Amino acid sequence: MGNSALKAHLETAQKTGVFQLTGKGLTEFPEDLQKLASNLRTIDLSNNKIELLPPLIGKFSFLKSLALNNNKLTALPEELCKLKKLETLHLNGNHLRQLPAAFGQLSALKTLSLSGNQLRTVPTQLSGLRHLDVVDLSRNQIQNVPDTVGELQAIELNLNQNQISQISMQISHCPRLKVLRLEENCLELSMLPQSILSDSQISLLAVEGNLFEIKKLRELEGYDKYMERFTATKKKFA
């Protein structure tokens, strides 16, 4: 893409606060964007070939939404964690194995999508995020869900298509968790904490495609309690 095209995009972004440049084969984050660090509310650079998010991302202090889906990112800079106004972060389809240590400082974050990366566990940093609503960790390489998950504030947690064979009982202590997706994992029925059914806020539990038949789930103690929550929620949205 030529400089004149980029310039036109920058001029538009200055007026709208939105910089969107997707599917253009970009190999790096456009440095010229820094000029608009105080203007931009939204950056979408999805479907490119960006391998590195530079530290200068930390300068975009008014950014509310950042999308870098389907790039070639293997790591994220600590500077990303300075974005105190960031509410939406989409990083699906990259090669990320972990999140920066200070990720819990993204205090405004509501939606986090990390589907199709190389994470091996549910990042402990997520437990510090107080406004998190939706977390998508589907299609990773997660094998277990650790105790720290009990502090997660999310309303929906998507763990579909991982390799999960163990889940901490603490997941039933999540204060706001209503939707838990665990489809296509490696769960035996005995490894599903019964407290999810009997003693949690979860009103939609999706567990198709694991190592047990769904009808066996109905025989577990606490299933009736879960169905009460499921039905009550359905009525609310009917």
Side-chain angles (χ1 to χ4, degrees), residues 150-162:
E151 294 164 37
L152 192 68
Q153 298 287 326
I155 297 167
E156 177 171 343
L157 176 59
N158 185 344
L159 291 164
N160 288 348
Q161 292 179 294
N162 277 284

Side-chain angles (χ1 to χ4, degrees), residues 121-128 145-152 168 170 174:
T121 185
V122 176
T124 54
Q125 297 95 315
L126 302 186
S127 301
V145 179
D147 288 348
T148 47
V149 76
E151 294 164 37
L152 192 68
S168 166
Q170 297 296 326
C174 290

Side-chain angles (χ1 to χ4, degrees), residues 109-124:
L109 204 60
K110 291 179 182 175
T111 304
L112 175 63
S113 302
L114 285 160
S115 180
N117 278 280
Q118 293 170 19
L119 299 172
R120 291 181 177 270
T121 185
V122 176
T124 54

Side-chain angles (χ1 to χ4, degrees), residues 76-99:
L76 300 169
E78 289 286 342
E79 286 80 3
L80 176 69
C81 310
K82 293 180 181 171
L83 303 180
K84 298 286 186 237
K85 292 198 188 314
L86 196 67
E87 294 177 7
T88 309
L89 181 58
H90 291 295
L91 295 162
N92 301 324
N94 281 283
H95 308 294
L96 299 169
R97 291 171 184 270
Q98 59 192 43
L99 298 179

Side-chain angles (χ1 to χ4, degrees), residues 138-196:
S138 62
R139 296 174 40 238
N140 275 279
Q141 296 162 16
I142 297 169
Q143 294 174 3
N144 67 339
V145 179
D147 288 348
T148 47
V149 76
E151 294 164 37
L152 192 68
Q153 298 287 326
I155 297 167
E156 177 171 343
L157 176 59
N158 185 344
L159 291 164
N160 288 348
Q161 292 179 294
N162 277 284
Q163 298 154 19
I164 296 167
S165 58
Q166 281 185 310
I167 298 179
S168 166
M169 280 181 65
Q170 297 296 326
I171 199 162
S172 51
H173 295 163
C174 290
R176 300 166 69 214
L177 192 62
K178 298 277 196 293
V179 178
L180 178 58
R181 302 187 188 278
L182 286 162
E183 293 180 21
E184 295 179 50
N185 277 284
C186 308
L187 282 167
E188 302 271 359
L189 191 57
S190 59
M191 286 297 172
L192 191 71
Q194 291 199 14
S195 54
I196 289 177

Side-chain angles (χ1 to χ4, degrees), residues 1-173:
M1 193 188 71
N3 273 348
S4 55
L6 181 60
K7 208 170 159 193
H9 275 280
L10 288 169
E11 281 169 12
T12 308
Q14 192 163 5
K15 295 180 190 124
T16 60
V18 177
F19 185 82
Q20 187 177 29
L21 201 57
T22 58
K24 297 289 183 205
L26 290 182
T27 53
E28 49 190 49
F29 186 88
E31 290 221 337
D32 285 349
L33 275 186
Q34 311 185 59
K35 298 170 189 166
L36 301 179
S38 56
N39 293 61
L40 291 181
R41 303 293 184 268
T42 300
I43 295 177
D44 186 354
L45 293 166
S46 297
N47 303 312
N48 282 295
K49 296 173 181 171
I50 298 168
E51 293 180 19
L52 211 60
L53 191 57
L56 64 87
I57 191 66
K59 295 180 180 176
F60 293 82
S61 46
F62 296 97
L63 204 60
K64 284 191 165 185
S65 174
L66 176 61
L68 286 156
N69 296 325
N70 304 318
N71 275 282
K72 297 188 171 193
L73 298 171
T74 52
L76 300 169
E78 289 286 342
E79 286 80 3
L80 176 69
C81 310
K82 293 180 181 171
L83 303 180
K84 298 286 186 237
K85 292 198 188 314
L86 196 67
E87 294 177 7
T88 309
L89 181 58
H90 291 295
L91 295 162
N92 301 324
N94 281 283
H95 308 294
L96 299 169
R97 291 171 184 270
Q98 59 192 43
L99 298 179
F103 198 82
Q105 291 174 13
L106 290 170
S107 49
L109 204 60
K110 291 179 182 175
T111 304
L112 175 63
S113 302
L114 285 160
S115 180
N117 278 280
Q118 293 170 19
L119 299 172
R120 291 181 177 270
T121 185
V122 176
T124 54
Q125 297 95 315
L126 302 186
S127 301
L129 297 167
R130 293 281 161 247
H131 299 287
L132 209 49
D133 290 335
V134 180
V135 183
D136 185 355
L137 298 173
S138 62
R139 296 174 40 238
N140 275 279
Q141 296 162 16
I142 297 169
Q143 294 174 3
N144 67 339
V145 179
D147 288 348
T148 47
V149 76
E151 294 164 37
L152 192 68
Q153 298 287 326
I155 297 167
E156 177 171 343
L157 176 59
N158 185 344
L159 291 164
N160 288 348
Q161 292 179 294
N162 277 284
Q163 298 154 19
I164 296 167
S165 58
Q166 281 185 310
I167 298 179
S168 166
M169 280 181 65
Q170 297 296 326
I171 199 162
S172 51
H173 295 163

